[in-house]
Amino acid sequence: MKITYYGHDAFLVENDGTRIIIDPFLSGQDDTTGKIPDPEDIEVSYILLTHAHSDHFGDTLAIARKNDATVIAPFEVAMICQAEGCKVHAMHIGGGFNFDFGRVKLTIAHHGSGYQTANGMEYGGNPCGLLLTMGGKTVYHAGDTGLFLDMKLIGEMTSIDAALLPIGDNFTMGVEDAVMAVSLLNPVLAIPMHYNTFPVIETDPNEFVRQVESRGKKGKVMAIGESLEI
Ligand code: NI
Ligand code: MN
């Protein structure tokens, strides 16, 4: 499985010809690297969403329409996409489904999920994290969440190859809590996300990796545009 980081919580995942993008907030980022692709250039057959907040929902509708891609999302978010004419597959917390490309299972996340419209905030249900298994490898994308002890259960029941964890503080776990999350989840590799996109989440990702490695685990800061085979 190949994963490519596009900043914030956006990851492109590829395996055996299937291309999936998670939380495609692309055009809304202040791209200082020139490595964040134009949503018009994204070619995927599936979009995975953790929740409806604009820094995750991002360019979902444009990407879904251009590619005729299916949006896999928590029920309420899927219904928002369906009302916009997208193909959807609705799921919810604790549920998994075997797709043609592999398996997706939604987990809890402690956060919110309102969908911002011109007329105010629309109900977006509960936010989620997700486990994506393809080609024998599993990625855990935690979405936006605070630390929770059930991460221990997730780690015991699932062999996680890469854990994508928010570290930016303020809206989600900060470094200290994210390091504890790595201990609970016990992934092969921990990758930080949801930092430095906005002033309130300015955080040093190298400090996260340093603390993860001081506990005997493996961590890696992915540069924007960088790909990794896991
Ligand atoms: Ni959020
Ligand atoms: Mn967020």
Side-chain angles (χ1 to χ4, degrees):
M1 185 197 287
K2 182 180 166 192
I3 60 175
T4 304
Y5 187 45
Y6 288 147
H8 204 55
D9 276 24
F11 290 85
L12 179 73
V13 182
E14 300 169 80
N15 182 66
D16 204 17
T18 302
R19 295 161 60 87
I20 298 171
I21 195 161
I22 306 174
D23 284 1
F25 172 64
L26 305 175
S27 61
Q29 287 188 64
D30 179 17
D31 183 9
T32 55
T33 63
K35 298 267 174 66
I36 300 174
D38 191 310
E40 281 292 303
D41 297 330
I42 296 290
E43 291 180 9
V44 291
S45 42
Y46 294 92
I47 300 165
L48 261 58
L49 295 178
T50 60
H51 64 297
H53 286 166
S54 57
D55 61 313
H56 299 259
F57 195 92
D59 301 293
T60 291
L61 298 178
I63 295 169
R65 285 169 183 151
K66 177 151 188 292
N67 293 277
D68 196 25
T70 299
V71 180
I72 302 169
F75 182 82
E76 289 80 0
V77 184
M79 291 306 104
I80 290 167
C81 295
Q82 190 171 59
E84 294 288 342
C86 301
K87 289 197 297 194
V88 302
H89 182 108
M91 300 181 68
H92 232 309
I93 296 167
F97 188 82
N98 296 322
F99 293 87
D100 56 359
F101 60 79
R103 182 170 176 83
V104 176
K105 184 179 181 183
L106 298 190
T107 71
I108 59 168
H110 291 315
H111 193 64
S113 185
Y115 182 67
Q116 263 171 311
T117 72
N119 303 316
M121 191 75 89
E122 195 174 315
Y123 180 65
N126 289 306
C128 293
L130 58 89
L131 292 159
L132 169 61
T133 304
M134 296 169 90
K137 301 282 183 174
T138 297
V139 169
Y140 170 55
H141 187 297
D144 279 354
T145 186
L147 179 64
F148 55 90
L149 187 55
D150 287 16
M151 285 178 177
K152 186 167 163 50
L153 184 62
I154 295 170
E156 280 178 8
M157 292 182 69
T158 312
S159 173
I160 298 169
D161 294 284
L164 316 177
L165 301 172
I167 65 159
D169 219 347
N170 194 76
F171 297 113
T172 68
M173 298 187 284
V175 166
E176 186 184 12
D177 288 9
V179 170
M180 177 57 75
V182 176
S183 293
L184 297 174
L185 292 160
N186 197 30
V188 174
L189 180 65
I191 296 165
M193 62 180 183
H194 214 270
Y195 63 90
N196 292 354
T197 327
F198 314 111
V200 291
I201 57 172
E202 265 173 29
T203 304
D204 179 6
N206 296 307
E207 176 59 19
F208 167 74
V209 168
R210 195 190 63 73
Q211 290 191 30
V212 164
E213 301 207 325
S214 77
R215 292 184 174 211
K217 299 298 299 176
K218 215 168 150 225
K220 179 175 170 53
V221 176
M222 287 187 77
I224 292 176
E226 184 178 357
S227 296
L228 196 66
E229 199 72 47
I230 63 160

